[in-house]
Amino acid sequence: MENILQGLNASQLEAVTSTEGFIRVIAGAGSGKTRALARRFAYLVNEIGILPGNILCVTFTNKSANEMRQRIHNLTGDNDTGYISTFHSFCVSVLQEDSHALQYPKSFLVLDNSDIDSMLKIIYEERGLTLRNMTFSKARDMIEIRKLIKEPKYYLDMLNMSLDTLRQKYLTATEPSDIIFYGYLYQEKKCFGLDYNDLIKFTLYIFEQNEAVKIKWQQRLEYIMIDEFQDIDELQYKLMSVLCGYHKNLFIVGDPDQTIYTWRGANVRYLLDFDKIFPSVKTIMMMQNYRSTPQIVSVVNDLIDKNKFRIKKNLMPTIADGMKVICHHADTSEREAMWIAEQIQALHGEGTSYREITVLYRAHYITRIVEEVFLREKIPYAIYSGVQFFNRMEIKDALAYLRLIAYKDDLAFLRVVNVPKRNLGERRIKFLQEYAVKHQCSLYISLETNLDNEIFKGTKAAQFVALIENFAANYAERQISELLAAILNESGYEKMLRTEGSQERLDNLAELKQSVYEYETSCGEESTLEHYLSHIALFTNSDAADNSDKVKLMTVHSAKGLEFPYVFLCAMNEGVFPSKKTDTIQKMEEERRLAFVAMTRAQKGLYLSEAEGRNFDGSPRYPSRFLLDIEPALLNYTQKPQEGLIRETKDYLVINERYLADEENQSSLAVGQRVKHSIFGSGTVVDVDLIKAAHLVKFDNIDTPRSISFRAKLEKI
């Protein structure tokens, strides 16, 4: 085991050895914060003697939790690595241990987007809704906003209403949004399913209602550490505040300049105002950058300095000089892609492998021209974050078979009852659904009860039930990896893929088997099928590692937390990056932080590019304001925009910035507030639409309400 304190700089050492009280670490990009967190955990265990099970270390993704767990294991040599997890994953642990406090079974299901879409499909079919009423994506957003903002007490319906009462609430609803919302709550309760919002809401409710359970967890967690604190949302903040209430040992790490998830509810104020909320906070600044060359650091410092809502600070480079940041202006998008291809081939010719090069962009649609050029020039590439590993069809199917064995829930049943084909089509499924509603049972029980019914003659229904029953009888004694291999074989699923010639899908299943094996090894005796299934639903951003020699293509959001030797940031144009949807000062600052995150991924070389042309709406494409934010002397221009274009861009930016509303001032109007509009006169706010960034106002002199953008001035009266 390595010496825990060896090789730490002064601020890292202070962070690792400051153990008591409230500690805030402002850690710049590439400053070694993950290293400091892992060392601090090991310091608490090895040097102070704290039991790992009494430490909670919260990370933002499951991937980073796994990496952290591995680092800590290497430092402590202990297989017990305490609670190293995301907030959602930690809540699963609480609910599994204390679900009795809710009268919920331990076997509740954790729902991901694919499960939610399956529920929506059932609701739409039952109530005759179509995608014209609301797309699934909009329905998921609507459900989330109602749960978080409009009806934050929704969970009481799920907990206190009987299934029949909740169903009646759903069946008597008339508005599409009400039908979808109450139908979804009913579907959740029916299969004891919980989505990500529910996990935290239910945990907070237990702590609110059951003092003994709350104190148990508060006393157990002697030390709490939270990574990426700039990305924390209101519910996570509330949970954290409760958990640290006994020992009052809270250690947070974050960088306000890397807040890029406000659209998901993240609020950087929790990090910035931490010292105002908690007493006697110690703040440690970690500004030494160990990732990027001084040339890259100078550029990103200059860029982010243009944001007003931030803690003023500069990254300090520690590694040797490198090449200047290269900036390229092209006449067309095609020529921009050609230039990127040429630079990549030049790097490759000098001995750089393709896997060391990454192309970043603001949105996926940008890749079309880049891909065309790469194919033509025979540059191997892989797009990341297309279909994520655990969202792939064959992975979902395999996990549904495992869920059927453990839970026999309706969603898993509907997914695989006819995969491979068992002659159980729509007509027979409709029969099962009607029987299940009438007898208040699951679809699986409905099938099991009706095996002798004439309707199932000529089907493989009996073989399917026998298969599931056979596995359900003894699954608790078997390894999950063994179960998975056996069910995929005996169900005929793998045979079906082989018949179709779907080698890629078979490879993905092999990857899943490997990940299950690794899970078993890391969890030890905790590795029950139920434990695995409840945690696997949280792995939505895990993807199978691709280490082949290919250029990586990914969005900037996907690149958060990663680093690459050479980074190309393309399509740096107004309306692309920053996005054309940016309509407030706050959103513009977030876009600049996103550009900062993109550029700080680069270790050795950073290439910025943009192109002239027309946007989708026919307007001219201007270079991004983020390029103009950077002192020209810091950039090496291979081709510069003409002076005339730069003047036009600056004129456009002056006009655009006039239209940027101040979100903080404009979204503060509550429903019921009387307001005055410069043209429409007096009226009343009847709704606040956070997605559209608009108030719905019923004006006194107009018959119907109007949606008024946040950017329009509404005076309170």
Side-chain angles (χ1 to χ4, degrees), residues 88 172 288 449 709:
H88 297 109
T172 52
Q288 285 177 279
T449 313
S709 162

Side-chain angles (χ1 to χ4, degrees), residues 10 31 185 313 360 457 545 649:
S31 61
L185 294 189
K313 57 185 176 58
L360 299 181
K457 291 265 166 70
T649 305

Side-chain angles (χ1 to χ4, degrees), residues 98 242 427 431 463 480 482 516 542 557 583 588 698:
D98 291 304
V242 172
R427 183 173 68 92
F431 171 86
Q463 291 95 313
I480 308 163
E482 184 205 330
V516 171
S542 293
H557 279 103
D583 54 3
M588 186 57 75
K698 172 66 180 74

Side-chain angles (χ1 to χ4, degrees), residues 345-383:
Q345 292 294 38
L347 282 168
H348 189 61
E350 290 162 11
T352 302
S353 60
Y354 287 124
R355 74 167 71 88
E356 293 179 84
I357 302 167
T358 301
V359 180
L360 299 181
Y361 38 83
R362 179 65 181 85
H364 273 300
Y365 70 84
I366 291 155
T367 65
R368 185 184 61 80
I369 293 174
V370 175
E371 283 189 81
E372 282 174 13
V373 170
F374 280 17
L375 285 166
R376 199 166 66 226
E377 299 301 313
K378 297 187 170 50
I379 296 174
Y381 68 92
I383 292 184

Side-chain angles (χ1 to χ4, degrees), residues 12-74:
Q12 289 172 335
L13 184 66
E14 190 181 5
V16 169
T17 54
S18 301
T19 60
E20 306 309 300
F22 295 96
I23 299 154
R24 171 177 66 175
V25 178
I26 306 290
S31 61
K33 63 182 179 66
T34 309
R35 186 177 187 225
L37 269 167
R39 297 289 183 98
R40 188 175 188 269
F41 192 111
Y43 183 80
L44 287 168
V45 173
N46 289 9
E47 303 300 319
I48 297 182
I50 305 298
L51 296 170
N54 293 358
I55 304 172
L56 169 65
C57 180
V58 179
T59 64
F60 200 62
T61 65
N62 283 287
K63 187 168 177 277
S64 47
N66 286 336
E67 284 169 8
M68 184 71 74
R69 208 173 285 120
Q70 195 56 53
R71 283 191 186 213
I72 289 166
H73 171 72
N74 293 342

Side-chain angles (χ1 to χ4, degrees), residues 310-585:
R310 65 185 290 263
I311 295 173
K312 287 278 182 188
K313 57 185 176 58
N314 272 336
L315 293 175
M316 295 179 293
T318 60
I319 65 177
D321 265 5
M323 64 183 203
K324 242 180 173 180
V325 173
I326 294 172
C327 195
H328 182 76
H329 169 81
D331 300 340
T332 64
S333 296
E334 167 90 8
R335 287 190 180 167
E336 181 189 1
M338 277 300 301
W339 178 81
I340 292 169
E342 284 161 15
Q343 301 305 306
I344 289 173
Q345 292 294 38
L347 282 168
H348 189 61
E350 290 162 11
T352 302
S353 60
Y354 287 124
R355 74 167 71 88
E356 293 179 84
I357 302 167
T358 301
V359 180
L360 299 181
Y361 38 83
R362 179 65 181 85
H364 273 300
Y365 70 84
I366 291 155
T367 65
R368 185 184 61 80
I369 293 174
V370 175
E371 283 189 81
E372 282 174 13
V373 170
F374 280 17
L375 285 166
R376 199 166 66 226
E377 299 301 313
K378 297 187 170 50
I379 296 174
Y381 68 92
I383 292 184
Y384 283 65
S385 278
V387 181
Q388 292 166 331
F389 185 68
F390 284 96
N391 286 339
R392 290 173 183 155
M393 180 191 82
E394 60 279 11
I395 304 299
K396 290 290 206 192
D397 291 346
L399 294 174
Y401 269 112
L402 288 180
R403 265 174 45 173
L404 262 184
I405 294 168
Y407 303 135
K408 297 175 179 167
D409 66 288
D410 288 359
L411 295 179
F413 179 89
L414 285 168
R415 188 167 186 100
V416 294
V417 67
N418 205 35
V419 183
K421 293 273 188 284
R422 298 184 177 95
N423 207 12
L424 295 165
E426 278 183 32
R427 183 173 68 92
R428 292 182 171 106
I429 295 296
K430 197 165 184 332
F431 171 86
L432 292 175
Q433 286 170 327
E434 285 168 358
Y435 184 93
V437 169
K438 191 177 173 183
H439 294 85
Q440 293 218 339
C441 65
S442 68
L443 293 174
Y444 182 85
I445 298 286
S446 176
L447 179 62
E448 197 177 30
T449 313
N450 288 285
L451 283 177
D452 294 334
N453 191 302
E454 195 65 30
I455 196 170
F456 293 108
K457 291 265 166 70
T459 72
K460 292 181 179 174
Q463 291 95 313
F464 177 72
V465 168
L467 174 83
I468 302 303
E469 287 302 309
N470 185 33
F471 276 93
N474 65 355
Y475 75 88
E477 288 100 59
R478 297 170 76 174
Q479 295 275 25
I480 308 163
S481 49
E482 184 205 330
L483 264 179
L484 178 63
I487 192 81
L488 290 173
N489 177 34
E490 290 178 37
S491 64
Y493 190 86
E494 282 189 326
K495 186 182 175 187
M496 172 190 81
L497 293 185
R498 278 196 292 274
T499 309
E500 291 171 0
S502 304
Q503 190 53 47
E504 192 180 334
R505 297 193 186 284
L506 287 164
D507 290 347
N508 287 336
L509 286 179
E511 186 69 37
L512 178 67
K513 290 172 189 173
Q514 181 59 28
S515 79
V516 171
Y517 178 73
E518 285 168 6
Y519 164 85
E520 286 172 336
T521 321
S522 65
C523 287
E525 72 250 18
E526 262 194 25
S527 61
T528 63
L529 181 58
E530 289 84 355
H531 185 271
Y532 173 74
L533 288 170
S534 62
H535 282 78
I536 205 69
L538 303 166
F539 277 76
T540 50
N541 53 3
S542 293
D543 214 332
D546 186 353
N547 292 319
S548 54
D549 195 23
K550 293 174 184 173
V551 175
K552 298 177 185 72
L553 271 60
M554 63 175 78
T555 64
V556 180
H557 279 103
S558 304
K560 173 86 188 293
L562 305 174
E563 55 186 37
F564 315 101
Y566 296 92
V567 168
F568 288 79
L569 182 56
C570 63
M572 294 288 287
N573 289 94
E574 287 292 310
V576 180
F577 201 178
S579 160
K580 65 177 183 293
K581 294 175 183 171
T582 311
D583 54 3
T584 67
I585 296 165

